[in-house]
Amino acid sequence: MFALSRRHLLALAGISGLTSTFASAPAHAAAPARGTNPVADIYRDALHVHTRWVEEQWDPAIGAYKAADFRFAAVLGNAVLLGMEDYDSRLTGVDAATLRSRTVATIRRYAASNKLAGGAEWGRRLFWDSAFELYFVLAARLLWTDLDPVTQGNVQRIAEGQAAYAYQLNAGDDPLSDERTPNGTDGGWRGDSKLEEMGVYAQALAPGMAWTDDAASAAAWRARFRFWATNASALPEADRANPAVVDGERIDRLSSAHNLHDSFVVENNDSFNPHYQAELWRMAGRAAIHFLVAGRAVPEVLTRQPNGGQLWRTLRLLASDAGEPVMPMAADRYHLYGRNVLPLAFLAQVHGDRDAARAEADLAERLMPYLRFAPEHRLTKFSAEEKEEPEARAELAIAYLFHKLRAKPVPPVSREQFFRRAAGTRDFGGDVGLTAHQSASAFAAAVTKPDFVKFLWQPNHDNWLVDTRVPAFLPADVTPSSHWTRAYSRVRDGVDATATVLAVNGGYAGFTTLPTGTVVYASTGLPGEGGLSLFTFAMPGIPGLDGARTFTYAGGRAELPDQLIGDIPFAARRARYVRMLGREPATAEGYSLWGFAVLDVTGADLAQGAMPTASSDDPWNPARHATDGNPSTRWSVAPEERGRADSWLAVDLGSAVRVAGARIAWDAAYGKRFVIQTSTDGRTWEDAAEVPQTRTTARWVGIDGRAGIVTHGGDGRITVTATSVSAPAPLLEGYAGGRTDLARLAARPMPTAEGLAVSDADGHLSVFNLSAEPVRDVTVRLPAQRGLFRGEQVLTKRGLEWTASLDGGTARVEPPRFTVAGDPPPGTRFTVRDSQHVTVTAPAQRRAVVTLHRGSWEKTVRVPAGKSRSVSVPGALTPTADLARGRTTFPTSPLPENMTSPDFAVDGDPATSWRPGAAGRMVVDLGAVIPVAKVALTWTRGRRRPHRLEASTDGRRYGPLGARARYVAVVVEGWRPGDAELANLAVT
């Protein structure tokens, strides 16, 4: 068995590489000083402060931390703290000696009670005991010399016994883990990925591999570990095209499972939840730390996971400014900051990924304010699963160790660089039901998955402004009868944008997202549409969460507080009776509250001990509970009255006194809208305060200096409260940022067209056909445009008239391909074929002089009366007829030796090229089985090696190129350095 002293952790700090392959033994050097690594300093402070929660778990009756929900796994955070030279008892609330004795006692107790060590309390089960064993064993190793020999032996039996148990299962199910299964070696991808399950089988082997001195067992476990870790992120079409060698084995020979969608997302419980996709690196981090602390080589597969680069790209496409992705469907893991730390720390500090380092730094900035928010000292305060709290502490401790294992942390890219590199769009496919758009200014998406349908918008990537658990603009709980969606890509179409149309409730709703971060919503008029739900509560230290939202509008500005969580002040008055009168309950459970206080001018509660009355009572929760001063008793309406909107609770103060406010502690069944009323006689009531406070304006509103809403058509009325925006309108534009001149945008002349809804927000056309019938060759009048769009347009005295056609139930986003300067006469016609070609036709009676712009290119065209002139512009051609442009390519990550990314052959950039390397084979996925007429290859200079084309309809069996294919392969034989590389692969 390995012996590890408490000082060994500091010795490990000399590791300076931590790239794809770790050193087999750590160098010895001093740990980085406090202040040189801000993220590690935050983790250090968070572990200290979180220890206050840990100490609440101490059970003197058993002389250890509690067993429920694996709370005893908090010992890993304790062990890391006790290894610090700057342990601070003022932050933890407990002195180091007491914490050490309690930690050692807990390790001793639970090591003995583990089933693998002969106990009967916990352990052996893969889900979820093996994860907590992993934390537990690591804690014991960090405090090894504090443990008695019997406890040391028990810890070793846990590590080796769990590995042996997982190994003997082979690919079979764990009988102790209920229905949890990896589906043998096949995995699963539609509805419920087995990425997590295979990761659990792998992580159960890691502590045994790291700490055993049995070489034969270690070798057998390592082979099984490599298999599970490779297959956790397996996608057959990609893996069978990838001969890259990882830990001595080729991916194409080791991979057998199918755990990913071909758009590189994983599903859990029939929905896409990025939290479960991040399990790939969470489990890798849990395993890697054991090898590092033991001074052993980290298995290569942990840093060269098949398709890992593509899965990380997906998460960046959904990133927020807080280091965690948007949860576009099931948001049960949203804002659980403590659970999001480890995957980012592993990607950043072990992989060396600078984008991950940016996300990790952003998340770390939020940790301390989050910890101090009520309920204090919790890392997963919005979770319904108690076991996630000790998990988060353990993983925060591991993240801290990753930083201390580097002499210098990986430098993050800037926030601007991060979102510029993350920007793009993707339609993840009909099975997934998600079309997403990340831009430099916002995240937006359309979810069309049944039971999760919504539109999403996160201006400025701010995950504490718009609540993305609630649909943006679209009514809640809609069930479309059909949907249409498209993702535009800059490399293929000349613009990053998305468009979605839903047929719903007998009408239509459409949504476009633009590269500027602006979104456009259009509809035929749906009840409940046009809304945004806002976060408003106060979390000091988190930008924007100060308990109120500030709105600007024509002629006014208002700061509206969130009165559901604070005092409700009103003008002081005399009253004997004060009541809450409901207007609208937030849930089907009606109204329920824990306490009702009436405040005097000093803020003192006048209602405590008074006898309240109510419109109705639940027999188990009578009205008197509202003023009894007991925070664990409550009043609820009678079950038969839950559907009543105007239920009330009133307090008799005994005599008329001066009152100035109220305070309500709501239960989960709270009042979405209600009024506080006062009376001197109990019969005549006056409104004292309406909750929430509202402001109503017309046509535009700015939200907290972070976003803006502009409406067109209808009555234009916008109503705001601290927690919501209601802007029902047939056309609505959402602008990210606070510098936009919303008044000007609201007043501008809008495009018009018979049978179409059109916006020209930010110079891009968003065109919607919100009907079942196609619209052909309709004239769209563009009064404010000087941009030229693909197709035909004629200059008039009032702007441009552009001709458009759309199928029923579809939408279109058109970027300006050129802009016009000068003063061409009305009647000048422009025909734009694509981004390179435009024809100018002068009217019959007058010549036209036109200056055309496209980026830095400029040309003045002089056209005689009645004549035409065509202009060609250099640069990338968009939209392109090339079916391969911007498509997914294989091999994915990791790449075979000496091969560059096959993406370089389909990115439309002549300056990049695919280097075949010794493997000499690449594949492009066209997205569907389609007719293929021609494949054209463009090579760089150099000797051109023999090559051939292959094709496949399923990505597994390839043959000669035929008339139809989904996958097209280029095979280069005998490539050597200096030979020609493939600059472009085009399929038409």
Side-chain angles (χ1 to χ4, degrees), residues 605-628:
D605 181 9
L606 303 175
Q608 186 167 331
M611 184 58 67
T613 56
S615 55
S616 69
D617 293 278
D618 179 341
W620 298 100
N621 301 294
R624 67 176 182 274
H625 284 172
T627 57
D628 63 3

Side-chain angles (χ1 to χ4, degrees), residues 142-214:
L142 293 174
L143 293 174
W144 197 250
T145 57
D146 286 292
L147 305 181
D148 62 86
V150 172
T151 299
Q152 290 179 343
N154 287 337
V155 170
Q156 189 69 15
R157 280 189 283 274
I158 293 170
E160 293 182 344
Q162 189 64 73
Y165 179 74
Y167 180 80
Q168 63 87 21
L169 287 174
N170 197 357
D173 294 345
D174 175 19
L176 304 176
S177 296
D178 300 323
E179 76 283 0
R180 295 278 179 175
T181 175
N183 280 351
T185 61
D186 294 334
W189 55 282
R190 183 179 281 118
D192 194 9
S193 167
K194 299 306 176 184
L195 179 152
E196 184 180 23
E197 282 78 358
M198 290 190 175
V200 168
Y201 275 60
Q203 76 177 18
L205 295 158
M209 293 164 57
W211 297 108
T212 189
D213 55 6
D214 181 343

Side-chain angles (χ1 to χ4, degrees), residues 555-567:
R557 181 178 183 273
E559 181 177 292
L560 302 183
D562 183 357
Q563 295 169 302
L564 294 179
I565 59 173
D567 291 352

